[in-house]
Amino acid sequence: MKQSVIILLVSLALFGCQRKSEETKKQFFLPPATTYNYVEIDSVKLFYRAAGDQSKPTIVLLHGYPSSSHSYRNLIPMLATHYHVIAPDNLGSGYSTHLDPATTTYTFDVLADYTEKLIDTLQIKNYVMYMQDFGAPVGYRMMMKNPKRIEALIVQNANAYLDGLTPKRHDFFRTAQTDTSQVKHDFLYRLTGEDAIINQQYLFDLDSTNINIQSPDAWTHDLVFLRSQKDREIQVQLFQDYNTNLIRYSKWQKMLRNNQPKTLIVWGKKDLKFNANGAKAYLRDLPNAELHLLDAGHFAAEEKTQDIAILILEFLSKNEIR
């Protein structure tokens, strides 16, 4: 009898410990690990970060200037808890191959072609597309080829309307294309230098009260890939090509209007380069889009990572993309 009681007590104790252990485990949650990968396409290597269950819907994160997939280092694990996430580096940016701009002319057509080949190589048929800055002209070129491939759009300070540009900014892009003088070239080249990257990009639309929200890791990483004259010339060529995007805005708008993709707009309203009027303009063609103006600047994903992650997860869940 005593032996039976002892066995029962031990069993209860072990069961209690096991249950307590299981409850303790539930209190901890770790996101999937991010992997760092290369794919060789047409004799160049394209780098991409990946995380999450490949059986889940895929989110493709397209980066802007002067950054790379590094700009999504904090967002990736938050989204990968529920989705498969891919963040590529553009050709000529980050860890992807930097072809010599003396023999390769960098255009947004070229960037879009390589990014699309990467996604095809990874056998991703349909995906959610997140675009920021340069990500828009890359993403919209891809979307124009096959709009139905995009399950949803997430637009973060990614311009597709002249409303989002001041006349001065519009003129900047126009003259970058049309003014072929050495003086203009040298001006564009200076914009790829250290001071311009830090103060005219990352800190440009931040004030003294929130300047410490911007991690110096962001520009430190970018500047590593802008050390050589060739690396900087790549970005100059993209500046010179940027006006081709403005010329295509009306076509992109028509495509959005005709296809009505599920769209989430999360826009740093303090952005002085692509202002909030550009975010609101989307509603003309996408009246059902969800719009959130955040207390952030151009690099909202750096400043408001958690807020954006929550908005994305809620949006995709509401639209039954899960």
Side-chain angles (χ1 to χ4, degrees):
M1 182 69 177
K2 283 185 178 180
Q3 187 176 4
S4 298
V5 171
I6 291 170
I7 292 172
L8 178 61
L9 291 173
V10 170
S11 298
L12 288 171
L14 289 173
F15 177 75
C17 289
Q18 182 180 358
R19 189 172 178 184
K20 187 175 181 181
S21 175
E22 288 174 356
E23 289 175 353
T24 302
K25 285 180 182 178
K26 291 177 182 177
Q27 295 174 14
F28 298 97
F29 182 80
L30 298 176
T34 299
T35 60
Y36 306 90
N37 316 273
Y38 286 94
V39 168
E40 188 166 331
I41 298 172
D42 298 340
S43 301
V44 305
K45 287 186 176 181
L46 297 181
F47 174 85
Y48 68 96
R49 299 167 196 251
D53 185 347
Q54 294 186 39
S55 69
K56 301 288 187 181
T58 298
I59 303 174
V60 176
L61 306 175
L62 301 179
H63 70 81
Y65 170 83
S67 52
S68 64
S69 61
H70 178 262
S71 61
Y72 298 123
R73 65 199 177 282
N74 297 323
L75 184 61
I76 290 170
M78 295 181 188
L79 299 180
T81 57
H82 298 280
Y83 295 92
H84 178 228
V85 184
I86 296 291
D89 286 358
N90 287 336
L91 179 74
S93 293
Y95 295 112
S96 289
T97 297
H98 291 218
L99 294 173
D100 190 341
T103 54
T104 298
T105 301
Y106 282 80
T107 66
F108 288 95
D109 286 337
V110 169
L111 299 190
D113 286 346
Y114 273 103
T115 302
E116 188 169 45
K117 287 177 181 178
L118 170 66
I119 292 171
D120 290 343
T121 301
L122 297 177
Q123 298 183 346
I124 298 169
K125 293 182 179 179
N126 300 95
Y127 54 94
V128 176
M129 186 161 65
Y130 181 115
M131 305 176 294
Q132 190 262 344
D133 190 75
F134 275 14
V138 172
Y140 282 131
R141 278 169 170 78
M142 293 162 56
M143 192 174 179
M144 285 289 287
K145 291 183 180 179
N146 189 357
K148 299 302 181 184
R149 191 176 187 181
I150 308 303
E151 292 186 286
L153 278 181
I154 302 166
V155 179
Q156 188 252 296
N157 297 76
N159 213 41
Y161 293 83
L162 293 178
D163 307 55
L165 302 173
T166 63
K168 184 177 180 181
R169 191 71 177 160
H170 189 179
D171 186 63
F172 167 79
F173 289 129
R174 182 184 59 79
T175 57
Q177 181 185 39
T178 59
D179 186 347
T180 58
S181 69
Q182 188 64 42
V183 171
K184 188 67 173 183
H185 172 275
D186 292 347
F187 169 72
L188 296 173
Y189 187 82
R190 285 195 297 274
L191 294 180
T192 67
E194 181 175 350
D195 180 69
I197 296 301
I198 297 173
N199 295 305
Q200 294 184 47
Q201 287 294 126
Y202 281 101
L203 303 183
F204 186 68
D205 42 29
L206 300 183
D207 55 46
S208 58
T209 61
N210 67 346
I211 201 166
N212 65 343
I213 198 71
Q214 184 60 270
S215 170
D217 293 347
W219 61 74
T220 300
H221 186 275
D222 290 352
L223 288 169
V224 167
F225 296 103
L226 289 170
R227 285 178 296 191
S228 73
Q229 180 180 351
K230 289 181 180 179
D231 292 331
R232 294 174 66 176
E233 288 291 350
I234 290 171
Q235 302 305 322
V236 168
Q237 288 187 1
L238 290 172
F239 280 146
Q240 292 169 333
D241 189 58
Y242 199 90
N243 195 51
T244 64
N245 304 320
L246 277 60
I247 293 169
R248 298 185 191 200
Y249 278 180
S250 61
K251 292 182 179 179
W252 298 349
Q253 293 160 18
K254 182 179 179 181
M255 180 264 297
L256 293 175
R257 192 163 56 248
N258 291 343
N259 290 278
Q260 293 297 307
K262 299 171 183 176
T263 303
L264 171 67
I265 305 164
V266 285
W267 201 283
K269 64 182 179 182
K270 293 180 178 178
D271 189 346
L272 299 174
K273 297 181 184 295
F274 293 157
N275 65 62
N277 289 330
K280 298 171 187 175
Y282 274 94
L283 299 180
R284 289 204 298 268
D285 296 311
L286 300 172
N288 297 318
E290 186 175 316
L291 171 63
H292 298 269
L293 297 179
L294 306 178
D295 186 25
H298 188 67
F299 295 96
E302 292 274 1
E303 299 175 60
K304 299 287 184 180
T305 316
Q306 190 174 54
D307 302 64
I308 289 176
I310 291 171
L311 288 170
I312 291 172
L313 294 174
E314 289 178 345
F315 169 78
L316 294 179
S317 179
K318 280 186 291 187
N319 284 280
E320 299 184 344
I321 301 172
R322 51 181 178 239

